[in-house]
Amino acid sequence: MPYARIRAFFADSSTSFVLWIPVFIAAGIGCFFLSGGGPPLYVFAILSVLLFAGAAIGWLLRGRLWSQPCGYLLLAIMLMILGALAAHIRVAVLATPILARDMPHVIVHGIVEKIVRYEDGGQHLYIRSPAFSSHKGDTYQSGLEALRIRVRPQWIRDELRIGDKVRLAAGLHSLPAPSMPGGYDYARALWFSGVGGVGYAKAPIEIMASAPNHNFRPRLYQWRLDISARLLAQAGGSTAGTVMVALLTGLRGEIPQYVVTDLRHAGLAHLLAISGLHMGLMVGAIFFASRAAMAALPSLALTLHIKKVAAIVAMAGGLAYLLVSGASLPTVRAFIMAGIVLCAVVLDRRAMTLRLVAVAATVILLIWPESILSVSFQMSFAAVTALIAIYSQFERRMKSWWLGRGWGDKLAFYVLAVLGTTIVAEMALAPITLYHFNILAHYGLLANAIAMPIMVFWVMPCLLMLCLLYPLQMEGVIIPILKFGIEIIISTASWVAGLPGATGVYESPSFITFLIIIFAGLWLCLWRGKARYLGCVVALTVLALLPKKHASDILIGTKGTLYAVRDGTGALEFSPQAARQKRVVRDWVRKAGQEEPAQLVHNNGYRCDNLGCIMNVKGVSVAFTSEMDGMVEDCAKTAVVIASFYVPKELCQQPQLVLGLNDFRQNGSYALWITHTPKGPYHIEWKTVKDTRGDWPWANHRY
C-alpha cells in the first residue's frame, strides 16, 4: 500500500532526521525574512501556542507518533515555527535606531568603538553613542547606537585608539538602499551590527579625551589592532605581511585590492576567511604538539591521560584563536565543531559526523538568525557539509587502504585527497558563488593543488610558532619564514588568475533556481541510502521545466541620471553618467554577468543630445530626459519617459509610463521589462527597490 511504503521509507531514514533540524529552522527563518516586514505580533502569538501544543502532543505520543510520517511532518512544522520565532525575537530585541534623514554637515561627538584600516591609509570609524552639535554649539543626543564614518588619510592627524572620545565634522546619510530591485541590502547587515547611519569626515578628527575602556570587547579589539600594527611593522609593511596579519587577527582591510582579486579569481579566497581550515589546523597543531611534549616527560606520561589533557589544551588554544581572530561566524562555527570533536576525544566518542555540523548550525541559527542571509555562513556550512558527507562514505575504505602502505603511496594518496577535497568544495560552493558574486574560478583545482600543501605544512605551523613567540617578543625569528610561504601563495594566485580564461562571469540565477539547487545538495548529503539520489533527479527535472529567468530590459538609478539598457546580446549599455556612480555600476554589471560596463552607443535607434536620449528598446521608444525643455517633445513622441527632475503628471499624459525624480525618491531604483503579447503591441512591467525590499526596521524608504 502507498501509505505503508511511505512509512517504510521514513523509518529507513529516521536516524538522519536530526540532520534536518537546522534545515527546517533555516526554512522558518527564511520565510520570516521573505514575508516583507514580518507578520503581525498576534501571528507569532498563535505560532508560539502551536509550537508548545505540538511539543506537548509529541511528548504524550512519543512512543507512537515519531515512527509515523505525520510525526516527522509535525516536527518539521515545529522547527520552522521555532526558526521564525527566533528571527522575530532577534529583530524585536535588537531594534537598532536609524538615522531618519541625511545631514550634509554636522558635528559628531562620540567614542571610537571600532577601527577598520585600509591599504590607502583611510579608515572606517565606528562611533558609539554619537551626539550631534547644532550650528549654535548646543550638543544633543542622536538616539543612535553607532555610526560608521569613512575617514580619508588627510583627516587622520593623530593615532586613534579604541575608547577615544572624538569630535569631527561629517556628512551623514541614512542606511544605503539596494542599488537595484532584488539587490543586496547592505543596510540590513549594518542594522544587525548596531549601525544606524553612515557618513564621511569633512575635516581632521579631534581627540577630545583618551579614555581607557574597561569593557572586554573594546579592549580585545584594541589588542587585535596593536598586534596587527606590531606584526606589520616587523614585516616591513609588505603585502605578505598584510596577509599574515589577516590570517592571525582577521583584519583584512590593509590587504591590497589586487591581491584579494587575484585570490578570488584563482579560487583561493577561502584562505583569507578564518574558518574550518584555519581553526582545524591550529587546534590540531596544538593538540599534537602538547601531546608530544607531555609524552616526552615520563612523569606526566605515566600519571596523566595525556590524550585527553592535550584535547583540553587544544580547546583553550582554539578559544584564544577565536578571540584574537575576531570571532566571525565561520570562525564561531569552526570553533563549535572543533570543541565538540575535542570533547568527544575526552569522552572517548566518535565526533566527526554530520551531526556535529547540525549542532553547530542549530546553535548559530538560534542565536544569530540573520546569519542565514550571510554569504560566509552559507559557504562555510555548504563546504563542510559536503566534505564530511563524502568522507563518511569512503572512510572505511580509505582507512583499510592506508594501513601497510609505503610513504610513496601515502604521498600520492595525499595529493589525490587534496585534489578530491578541492573538487568537492568547489562543487558545493559553486551555486552560492554564482548566485552572490556571479563569478567562477575555472582553475581553482590547479591553484589549490599548489597552495594548499604550503598552507597546511608551512604557513599554519609557522603561524602557531608566531603565536608562541609573540609574548616573548621573538616573533621576528619566524616572520621571514612565514612571509616567504605567503609570498608563494600570492604568486601562485597571481599566476593562475592571469591565465587565459581563469574566470568566468555569469548572470545570476533566479532565487527559485538557487533554492532548488541548495535543496538538492542538502538531500544528497543528508539523506541515507539510494533515496538520496532522488533529490538530484527531482531538482534536475524541476530546473528543466522552470522558465528561464527574464532579465530586466532597463535599469534606472535613484536619481534618474544613471540608466542602463540591455542590448541584443544581453549586455548592459550605460548612460554617460556611469563614471560618477561606480559602485552602482559595478553592482549592475556583476548581476548582469558582464565584465566591464560599455558606454551607451549612439546607434541601433539611440539618439542623444544635450537634453537626453531617445532610444528604441524592443520596438518601444523610450526617452531619458534631463531638462524640462525637451519634456513636451518626448511626451509626444515616446511611449516611456524617464526624467531626472520632478515631473507634474498632468504635463505628460500621453506615454504609457512616466517616471520622475518624485517616483525615484519614493520607490528607489526601477527595473523595467518590455514584453510583446498576442493581444497587444507590448506590455511594460516594473519592480522597484521599495517593492522588493519590504517594510523592515532598516528600510526607511528614503531614496
Side-chain angles (χ1 to χ4, degrees), residues 15 154 228 230 280 300 303 374 385 441 449 486 543-544 592 622 627 645:
T15 55
Q154 63 265 32
S228 172
R230 177 170 151 184
L300 295 178
T303 57
S374 167
T385 301
I486 294 175
L543 290 176
V622 181
E627 299 291 342
F645 49 84

Side-chain angles (χ1 to χ4, degrees), residues 376-600:
S376 61
F377 175 90
Q378 296 171 15
M379 298 183 75
S380 177
F381 276 96
V384 74
T385 301
L387 289 172
I388 293 180
I390 293 295
Y391 175 77
S392 62
Q393 289 295 308
F394 300 100
E395 179 182 6
R396 293 183 179 179
R397 297 179 186 177
M398 290 189 295
K399 285 184 177 180
S400 61
W401 183 91
W402 183 267
L403 297 175
R405 295 286 178 172
W407 285 105
D409 291 339
K410 291 182 177 180
L411 179 61
F413 176 81
Y414 169 77
V415 174
L416 292 176
V418 170
L419 295 178
T421 299
T422 303
I423 292 173
V424 172
E426 291 286 342
M427 291 179 63
L429 297 179
I432 302 172
T433 304
L434 187 60
Y435 181 76
H436 291 287
F437 303 114
N438 308 91
I439 189 171
L440 289 179
H442 295 156
Y443 302 142
L445 184 62
L446 172 62
N448 279 275
I450 300 173
M452 285 303 294
I454 298 173
M455 188 72 180
V456 172
F457 296 111
W458 188 335
V459 173
M460 290 307 295
C462 288
L463 201 65
L464 176 59
M465 289 297 299
L466 176 65
C467 295
L468 296 176
L469 294 174
Y470 183 86
L472 305 176
Q473 297 186 352
M474 297 175 60
E475 66 273 10
V477 176
I478 197 67
I479 283 179
I481 304 174
L482 178 56
K483 278 178 54 182
F484 188 57
I486 294 175
E487 286 169 355
I488 296 176
I489 294 177
I490 294 175
S491 300
T492 301
S494 177
W495 171 64
V496 173
L499 294 175
T503 58
V505 182
Y506 304 91
E507 190 172 355
S508 293
S510 67
F511 180 65
I512 298 298
T513 302
F514 176 67
L515 286 184
I516 292 174
I517 295 174
I518 295 300
F519 179 77
L522 288 171
W523 187 287
L524 184 64
C525 292
L526 303 185
W527 215 259
R528 295 194 318 163
K530 296 180 180 180
R532 67 170 56 199
Y533 302 108
L534 181 62
C536 295
V537 174
V538 173
L540 292 175
T541 304
V542 174
L543 290 176
L545 297 177
L546 275 177
K548 187 180 183 297
K549 176 185 175 182
H550 183 198
S552 58
D553 298 304
I554 302 174
L555 287 171
I556 312 161
T558 53
K559 297 180 180 179
T561 56
L562 175 64
Y563 49 87
V565 178
R566 196 174 299 272
D567 63 14
T569 65
L572 291 177
E573 295 183 347
F574 287 81
S575 60
Q577 290 79 10
R580 303 176 185 176
Q581 302 185 47
K582 293 182 179 180
R583 185 186 66 84
V584 177
V585 170
R586 185 171 61 248
D587 291 343
W588 290 6
V589 164
R590 182 168 53 83
K591 284 296 181 183
Q594 187 177 334
E595 293 189 3
E596 294 182 1
Q599 287 294 328
L600 193 63

Side-chain angles (χ1 to χ4, degrees), residues 307 535 550 698:
K307 181 180 179 181
H550 183 198
W698 53 85

Side-chain angles (χ1 to χ4, degrees), residues 26 37 84 140 210 245 265 385 396 410 424 481 613 631 650 677 688:
Y140 58 95
S210 298
V245 167
H265 289 178
T385 301
R396 293 183 179 179
K410 291 182 177 180
V424 172
I481 304 174
C613 294
M631 192 71 183
E650 61 273 9
T677 60
T688 69

Side-chain angles (χ1 to χ4, degrees), residues 103 105-109 130-141 167-168:
M103 305 178 73
H105 182 79
V106 65
I107 305 299
V108 179
H109 305 257
F132 300 151
S133 292
S134 65
H135 64 282
K136 297 180 180 180
D138 300 329
T139 302
Y140 58 95
Q141 292 297 321
R167 178 180 181 273
L168 67 154

